[in-house]
Amino acid sequence: MHHTPDTPTIQWLEDGIEHRAHWQSERLLPPPRHVMVADDTLTADAAYRLASEGKAFLWRSDFQNARQLLQAMARRLDKNAEYKKSKASKAGKSPEEYPQRFHLYRQAQAQRSRILGSILIPFQADYSIPLRRAPIVLEACTEAWGEPGPAGLTVASLRELMGMVGAHEWRKKGVEIPALGRAPNNRIHPYYGVFSPVRGEYIDLVSKAPLPKACVGGGLAMDVGTGTGVLAALLAKRGVGRVLATDNDARALACAQFNIQNLGFAAQVALMQAELFADQPVDLVVCNPPWLPGKPTSPIERAVYDEHSSMLKGFLAGLAGRLNPGGEGWLVLSDLAEHLKLRSREELTAWIAAAGLRVVDRLDAKPKHGKAFDATDPLFDARSKELTSLWRLVVA
């Protein structure tokens, strides 16, 4: 990790002396203002109460005990949320209507993230953690933050560290994509900060949709916002002659480059950094934009939240000018935003028409992920109705 003069710093008092270190936050949060040194004598009840008041804890004791404290705080948060839900139910209060209920849900998630992010861990310049029973996290930190550098002491939240370790394991193991062939040669390896293709229904839609004539055993396609490269790889697997895969995120491009190379499609797929489109007309453009209009609160959330639907609108507005005669655009989009009352179907179809496009077909799939079947999820009534669609669009 190479810090600049603009890198934020965190301060705390320890043994009457003021200390300072670099502050690292993937969520781009400012450093906590009220930091206290903590050890094994800090109870979960006290930590939960103090964190709720805005305190953060620089951990100076056993690493595994810090993990246990984090888990205990999470249990208290869940218990408190369940109590509030039960209390509202007993009082006869019906849940708020959408979209208000969704906004309250996001507020609660942000509060949970802030409280659970209050346990802070020190890192040496070589990414070692100077705590008893601390794991070796050099690989995970390097994948997320870059090569170690002469940065001195850095502080980050334990929760963020656990996320990096989890992402490292996913990167090593990979995600099986049946549409790419038989195991073990069908794995996509997501990098830290790049959204993992765990929602398989959208991949199945792209694998089944009929290709434009020009793309059957040839042609030129474009995958806008390629992420891990999974859809570009799938188009290559289906026999498209050449695929241009774009993304504006350096991590995503590095991730896609690895996956395309690993799957043996490097001769068919070219990667390029672009806000949306490559500047070349093609026979097929595929785009799976973030599905919910809203402001992302971290880089990884950019794969979920599309503020003001700007990527969706930009894709639709620019599509007609990027298609060869007889070409198609495939928009892969969930209707969850419609059930949450964040966007209407009428708005979407109006944007399509205004862009000079026409819908020739729509393929739908029900989600298979756990939240769609979890009746305890706060948004279950919306999630249970969700459909993911592939809209086949042509120039009107």
Side-chain angles (χ1 to χ4, degrees):
M1 190 194 318
H2 298 275
H3 292 299
T4 69
D6 296 329
T7 301
T9 57
I10 184 171
Q11 294 95 29
W12 69 95
L13 272 177
E14 191 168 2
D15 298 327
I17 301 170
E18 187 174 282
H19 294 263
R20 187 182 294 261
H22 298 290
W23 169 248
Q24 183 71 24
S25 170
E26 177 66 16
R27 297 179 66 84
L28 307 179
L29 296 172
R33 286 183 295 175
H34 306 290
V35 181
M36 52 186 286
V37 174
D39 58 24
D40 296 341
T41 60
L42 180 66
T43 66
D45 286 331
Y48 178 66
R49 176 177 53 80
L50 291 165
S52 300
E53 296 169 0
K55 301 284 196 307
F57 317 105
L58 180 65
W59 197 254
R60 287 304 199 194
S61 197
D62 183 271
F63 179 88
Q64 300 305 328
N65 288 350
R67 284 190 63 185
Q68 289 178 9
L69 177 63
L70 181 64
Q71 292 163 1
M73 289 171 70
R75 287 194 296 271
R76 279 156 178 77
L77 273 164
D78 293 338
K79 189 175 178 181
N80 190 37
E82 195 57 42
Y83 171 74
K84 286 180 180 176
K85 186 178 174 184
S86 173
K87 193 175 176 183
S89 178
K90 285 177 182 174
K93 289 184 182 176
S94 58
E96 291 82 0
E97 296 295 317
Y98 291 119
Q100 178 65 8
R101 192 184 343 163
F102 175 71
H103 296 317
L104 291 171
Y105 166 77
R106 284 206 80 196
Q107 284 176 17
Q109 291 296 97
Q111 171 76 345
R112 177 187 179 86
S113 179
R114 190 186 64 74
I115 289 175
L116 295 183
S118 62
I119 302 175
L120 312 179
I121 299 294
F123 296 82
Q124 306 281 21
D126 61 357
Y127 296 151
S128 62
I129 299 172
L131 300 176
R132 189 170 66 250
R133 290 203 297 168
I136 296 170
V137 293
L138 175 61
E139 280 187 86
C141 289
T142 301
E143 288 169 0
W145 294 341
E147 292 293 331
L153 194 69
T154 295
V155 171
S157 81
L158 172 59
R159 192 171 189 235
E160 186 163 312
L161 171 62
M162 301 318 297
M164 293 193 299
V165 170
H168 171 66
E169 294 304 318
W170 272 110
R171 178 168 168 172
K172 279 199 304 184
K173 181 182 175 184
V175 180
E176 261 194 52
I177 308 294
L180 288 176
R182 293 184 178 180
N185 303 314
N186 64 351
R187 292 183 183 274
I188 288 288
H189 298 266
Y191 282 20
Y192 180 73
V194 182
F195 203 69
S196 177
V198 289
R199 290 285 299 264
E201 72 271 11
Y202 78 92
I203 296 170
D204 292 340
L205 289 171
V206 173
S207 72
K208 292 170 185 171
L211 290 168
K213 285 181 183 177
C215 290
V216 178
L220 180 62
M222 191 187 306
D223 175 23
V224 172
T226 194
T228 60
V230 62
L231 295 184
L234 183 52
L235 293 174
K237 172 82 173 172
R238 292 192 63 186
V240 176
R242 188 92 172 125
V243 183
L244 307 175
T246 71
D247 210 294
N248 63 358
D249 182 75
R251 278 177 177 167
L253 288 168
C255 177
Q257 183 78 58
F258 173 85
N259 286 312
I260 295 300
Q261 190 84 34
N262 191 51
L263 291 164
F265 297 124
Q268 283 168 269
V269 179
L271 287 144
M272 58 193 67
Q273 188 154 14
E275 199 63 39
L276 279 172
F277 301 96
D279 191 18
Q280 188 171 351
V282 297
D283 305 300
L284 172 65
V285 181
V286 179
C287 183
N288 174 32
W291 289 349
L292 296 177
K295 188 173 182 178
T297 59
S298 66
I300 189 70
E301 280 198 348
R302 290 179 196 143
V304 180
Y305 294 104
D306 180 16
E307 193 168 11
H308 309 305
S309 298
S310 57
M311 182 176 178
L312 172 58
K313 290 179 186 174
F315 166 72
L316 293 172
L319 178 59
R322 296 307 195 285
L323 291 176
N324 287 326
E328 288 187 20
W330 290 357
L331 171 63
V332 184
L333 194 67
S334 156
D335 66 357
L336 181 60
E338 296 171 24
H339 298 299
L340 297 173
K341 302 286 192 261
L342 300 172
R343 178 176 60 231
S344 70
R345 176 60 56 96
E346 290 72 28
E347 281 180 291
L348 176 60
T349 54
W351 295 338
I352 291 171
L357 302 168
R358 177 169 60 88
V359 180
V360 293
D361 193 14
R362 198 185 80 219
L363 288 70
D364 299 326
K366 289 286 289 178
K368 303 169 187 174
H369 63 91
K371 285 186 178 178
F373 306 97
D374 180 7
T376 65
D377 187 281
L379 308 178
F380 172 70
D381 54 347
R383 294 191 195 278
S384 62
K385 299 171 192 167
E386 182 184 6
L387 276 181
T388 301
S389 301
L390 185 151
W391 300 72
R392 292 178 57 206
L393 306 172
V394 296
V395 177

